[in-house]
Amino acid sequence: MIKVAIVDDNSFLIKAVAEKLSFFEDISIKFTAHDGNDAIEKLKKNSVLDLILMDIEMPKLNGIEATKIIKNQFPQIKIIMLTVFDNDENIFNAIKAGADGYLLKEVNPKDLHQGIIETLNGGAIMTPSIALKTLKLFRNPVDFDNSNYDEEIKLSTREIEVLEQLSKGLKYNSIAENLFLSPGTIRKHVENIYIKLKVHNKLEAIQKAKNNNLI
């Protein structure tokens, strides 16, 4: 029996992943966690685990930082990033943190199961589009740690409005009400903001936006 954990701040997406895995009798979900800190605390209590499906964008401790910590403390546990983010910096940082694979959340049940099997057998599973980006990164290396971010960052008027609301500490539901939008639309705007700003969480987004005089 393969012991798996799912780490994601979205309860709906946790259920969706669990449902995909429910088709396979050799998979057992040992626990779910809603952020990196939660996952680490649960691992300290019981680290008998084969593999973690790790989201990237999460509060308190994002998936990339959590991966780095878990790989240091529990190197035997495999980690597959399971995310909507496929930008170059996330891929680079996830691999650097020790991720064993990188799949997009749209992956179908069969490919997800196969990816878990291949990873546990020593492979490095990746969504084809991610594999292509990874090859390009190796062919044309970018030093993300020392990249020059002085390039002009362009956010839409609506994205700036969402950022301003975030900087006030408001939750997605409150922002949605204030801007007469749905919480799902707000979440999508936030995802786009993170990609454009090349950040992993709300605090980084707010700080970078302030540094670039966007808010």
Side-chain angles (χ1 to χ4, degrees):
M1 186 65 72
I2 299 170
K3 303 174 185 67
V4 175
I6 304 170
V7 184
D8 197 306
D9 65 323
N10 187 316
S11 297
F12 174 79
L13 292 177
I14 286 179
K15 290 179 181 178
V17 174
E19 187 173 328
K20 290 180 180 181
L21 295 178
S22 68
F23 293 104
F24 307 98
E25 295 181 354
D26 59 341
I27 300 287
S28 172
I29 299 174
K30 301 305 291 182
F31 69 79
T32 63
H34 293 283
D35 60 65
N37 284 335
D38 187 20
I40 291 167
E41 288 305 311
K42 289 180 177 176
L43 280 173
K44 287 178 180 178
K45 295 176 182 176
N46 185 1
S47 61
V48 181
L49 196 70
D50 296 307
L51 183 140
I52 298 173
L53 296 173
M54 181 79 74
D55 185 28
I56 288 183
E57 172 48 39
M58 294 182 291
K60 297 182 182 178
L61 189 68
N62 68 53
I64 290 174
E65 290 300 319
T67 295
K68 188 184 302 181
I69 293 170
I70 291 170
K71 279 296 184 178
N72 283 331
Q73 296 183 7
F74 311 98
Q76 77 281 7
I77 298 175
K78 301 289 187 179
I79 299 178
I80 295 177
M81 311 309 291
L82 190 61
T83 177
V84 297
F85 296 101
D86 66 347
N87 61 308
D88 292 353
E89 188 175 3
N90 275 334
I91 297 169
F92 174 84
N93 286 331
I95 293 172
K96 187 177 176 182
D100 300 285
Y102 200 116
L103 296 173
L104 296 182
K105 286 180 178 176
E106 63 198 31
V107 64
N108 64 55
K110 181 181 178 182
D111 288 342
L112 177 58
H113 179 255
Q114 187 61 35
I116 290 172
I117 300 297
E118 289 184 17
T119 300
L120 291 176
N121 287 332
I125 189 68
M126 288 187 178
T127 299
S129 61
I130 299 296
L132 182 60
K133 282 177 175 283
T134 304
L135 283 175
K136 289 180 178 178
L137 278 174
F138 278 109
R139 289 170 183 155
N140 301 289
V142 177
D143 186 355
F144 289 107
D145 292 331
N146 298 300
S147 293
N148 183 358
Y149 290 120
D150 292 336
E151 75 273 14
E152 185 179 3
I153 299 172
K154 293 182 179 179
L155 296 182
S156 69
T157 301
R158 182 63 82 188
E159 287 166 350
I160 291 173
E161 290 174 345
V162 170
L163 254 179
E164 288 174 339
Q165 300 272 315
L166 280 175
S167 69
K168 296 175 183 177
L170 297 179
K171 304 295 184 183
Y172 287 2
N173 286 343
S174 298
I175 297 174
E177 291 178 6
N178 292 342
L179 299 181
F180 303 102
L181 298 170
S182 71
T185 299
I186 297 300
R187 188 177 186 86
K188 187 61 181 175
H189 279 310
V190 172
E191 288 178 1
N192 289 335
I193 290 168
Y194 288 174
I195 291 170
K196 289 182 179 180
L197 294 183
K198 299 179 182 177
V199 297
H200 305 120
N201 58 53
K202 179 175 68 175
L203 293 178
E204 289 179 4
I206 293 169
Q207 188 57 54
K208 191 162 187 177
K210 289 181 177 179
N211 291 344
N212 285 273
N213 298 315
L214 296 173
I215 58 174

